[in-house]
Every structure is written in structure tokens, then in C-alpha cells.
Amino acid sequence: MTIVSTASEEARAHLVRSMTDTGALTSPGWTDAFRGVPREAFVPSFQVRHGDQIDTLTAQDLGFHTAVYQDTSLITRWDACGTAVSSSSEPSLMARMLEAFTVTDTDRVLEVGTGTGYNTALLCHRLGEDQVVSIDIDPELTTTARRSLASVGYVPDLVTGDGTLGVGDRAPYGGILATCGVHRIPVEWVRQVRPGGTIVTNIGTGIVRLSVGAESATGGFLPDPAAFMIARPTPEQVAHRAASYTALVINGTGRESRIDLPDARDTRGFYQDLMEGCALEVAMAQYDVLSITLTAGDTDVYGLVHPDTGSWARIIPAGKSTADVVVGGPRDLWTERATLTARWIAAGRPGPGAYTLTVEPDGAHTLQREEPTTTSWRL
């Protein structure tokens, strides 16, 4: 069993108080789970990003327990290209998702994205290990998580496989909680949750809570933007890295134009909106487009890339309200992104909480926003 130090208990208690004070934790069941599960058992070593700097900590380092119980994501695994593919997520975000995961004490639940096993342990503490099924694509992660969970006394049903397919032979579930991002809600999840059950996951730049009906599922988003690492179809998959397309964005030749910015009153803010993808509707419509921000001398260069088609766009500010744009490939990524972003700005920059999502039996997604006027998109 894991030996829990006084430093760990004090740091954990402080984190729980902080999450309670901010409203991330509201129910006794999940509060007890965060009090009872030692996070350090699942992250014996990790990395924390501070801007461009990455710090590595292990249990032997001074301040380890303080760092473990910071309300931040702890990176534990990288792919071959240096992209983070597994982490222990920000505890307050985990808490908000768990609070939205309104299942009963007798429900069997499926967690998609075992990762370190920390969230799995919270589910086990709250619901009982016999009620928890968890799946991850990476056999090394499930092996390590199984060992970590056993060290704190939990033996849930861990499965190695593609979580986007669910785990059909253990269904039906009272709910599915995914600690990874998806571009679309898999219809298999909807089919494997009983009517009245709940699906909570990251899609686009928001966390959606869906209530499952007889065939479809519908629900709203939590108020604040959030994004997880996207689910991988295989453990060997290397994520697209924006840096590998830098040369294309800087040196590519294509169709040139000078354009007026849709939001000339706040040029830099518009570029941030354009590139950071904070608009839920933009992120869901252009989920397959990478954003790149570069600095060449005193000039900011913005790039968009669609790896599957080789389409790209280069945007260079040419004054307060204009920019020089070059696009290449079959998709005009600039026009797509600018149109979507301008519409979102005109609506008052609504956050994720302004939207609802419906997933139909055929997998079609309908995103809807009520303010300032009812607008919907079938994706």
C-alpha cells in the first residue's frame, strides 16, 4: 500500500478547501473522494509546463507534494514527436466534470481514458470499484494504472482498447465519462448508456454534459472553455505537431490578397480569437485545422494548416485594420476561419455555456446557440 505523508495530507486538504471555496467541488461524495485519494500515487514523476519551460519532478524532489497538489495539469507521457499524450488533469476541471457526472451509487460507469488512473480512483472511491470500467488505448498506461490503483486498494475493471468504441460487453452504463477529447461524440457511447444516463466529455473547446434518451442524446456545456488531449486510435499514433508545418507557412507560395479584418476595432484581440480557437463553434467546425503563431523580426505571422489536404494559410498584419493573406491547397482556410470567427464576435463572443448539442442516432451533431438569436449548425 502507498505510504501517505503528513505533507501529502496537508497539501491535499488545502487543494480540497480551495476547490470547495471556488465551487468546483459541491457534493459530499466527490469531496470525500478528493480527500481520500492520494494523487501522488498516480504521478510518481511528472512534468509541469511554465510558459516555454518544462520542469521535471519526482518523489525525491523538495516540494514534490506541494507541486502534486497544485491545481494544474501534470504531464506524464509524450509521443515520439514530443507531444504530450497523457497527464493528470487539472483537479478543479476534474471536479467540475465529476460533479456534472450525475450517476447513482448503483450505476455501472465507463471511463474513457484511464491515463494515470487518478480519476479512475476517484470514481472507485465514490461508486465502488465493482461499478467502474475504464479503458485506454495504451497498454503501458493501463498496466501502470492497474499497479497504481492496486497500491491504494482499488481493483476496477481495466480494459486496453479503443475507447471511442466504448466497451460493449459491459454495457449498459449509467454514464460515460471521458477524460480525453473527441471531435465528435461516438454513437457507440450513446448506444451503450441506458436512457436517462449521462455522457460527460470534452468536444471542441468545451465540456458537454449529455442526457441520453431512447435514441439520441442532448445537453449543454459547462460555462468555461476546456480542452483535453484528443483520443488516439492507436498507441503508436503521433499527433500532428504545428511546428512541423512552420516552413510551409513561412515559405509557401499561393493565392495572395489583402483583406480588411472583420474586427478592426481590436486587431490583436481578433488575431487571438482567430488563432486560439476559443470559440466553440469555430473549434467544432474546424477541428482538423492546426493554428500556428510565429514571430519574424518585429512581425507576427499567423498560420493555419489542414494536414490531410495540405491546405494552408499565412496571415501577416499590414496595418491596424488590414492583413496580407496567402492561401494554398484546395481549402481556403482563411475565409473559413475568418467567417466563423467574425460571426462569433458579432454574437458577443459567447462562451461554451451558451450552447447545446444534440447527437442523433446516425451520428449527426447539431450545435445550437440561443443568443442573440437562435442559430444552429448541423455538423
Side-chain angles (χ1 to χ4, degrees), residues 13-249:
H14 177 77
L15 176 62
V16 170
R17 284 195 300 271
S18 174
M19 292 194 293
T20 302
D21 290 344
T22 60
L25 275 176
T26 58
S27 65
W30 293 121
T31 301
D32 289 345
F34 276 96
R35 283 199 189 105
V37 176
R39 192 185 190 194
E40 66 272 22
F42 302 90
V43 286
S45 65
F46 57 86
Q47 293 178 314
V48 181
R49 188 186 299 274
H50 302 286
D52 294 332
Q53 179 180 341
I54 297 177
D55 296 330
T56 301
L57 289 172
T58 68
Q60 287 71 44
D61 291 320
L62 186 66
F64 171 78
H65 290 103
T66 299
V68 165
Y69 289 103
Q70 292 295 307
D71 189 22
T72 191
S73 177
L74 309 178
I75 304 169
T76 58
R77 191 174 178 85
W78 307 78
D79 68 17
C81 281
T83 301
V85 294
S86 184
S87 69
S88 177
S89 302
E90 181 181 299
S92 62
L93 177 57
M94 296 170 63
R96 294 182 192 279
M97 292 179 69
L98 289 167
E99 292 286 2
F101 194 50
T102 50
V103 293
T104 71
D105 291 346
T106 58
D107 277 328
R108 178 187 293 118
V109 300
L110 173 63
E111 176 194 41
V112 177
T114 309
T116 67
Y118 178 48
N119 195 77
T120 318
L122 295 170
L123 289 167
C124 289
H125 191 287
R126 170 73 172 77
L127 302 173
E129 62 184 37
D130 292 340
Q131 300 298 97
V132 178
V133 181
S134 184
I135 183 170
D136 201 291
I137 192 66
D138 193 325
E140 291 188 25
L141 288 178
T142 50
T143 296
T144 302
R146 183 175 287 107
R147 185 166 54 247
S148 299
L149 285 158
S151 75
V152 294
Y154 298 123
V155 188
D157 188 357
L158 297 189
V159 179
T160 301
D162 185 353
T164 63
L165 301 178
V167 184
D169 60 357
R170 275 75 155 181
Y173 302 102
I176 293 178
L177 175 68
T179 57
C180 55
V182 291
H183 297 309
R184 297 291 182 264
I185 306 298
V187 293
E188 288 82 1
W189 291 3
V190 179
R191 293 168 183 162
Q192 291 176 23
V193 174
R194 61 166 175 76
T198 303
I199 297 172
V200 176
T201 188
N202 162 226
I203 182 170
T205 57
I207 303 296
V208 70
R209 179 192 180 279
L210 298 173
S211 179
V212 176
E215 293 183 333
S216 62
T218 189
F221 288 78
L222 301 189
D224 297 321
F228 282 80
M229 298 167 187
I230 297 297
R232 295 176 290 161
T234 68
E236 296 81 18
Q237 185 198 40
V238 175
H240 288 304
R241 294 189 68 212
S244 63
Y245 298 96
T246 298
L248 174 64
V249 168

Side-chain angles (χ1 to χ4, degrees), residues 8 13 26 53 69 91 103 171-172 219 222 258 271 274 302 337 343 369 373:
S8 167
T26 58
Q53 179 180 341
Y69 289 103
V103 293
L222 301 189
R258 175 162 286 190
Y271 282 118
L274 181 80
Y302 302 93
R337 178 66 64 89
R343 182 171 61 189
R369 169 167 44 81
T373 59

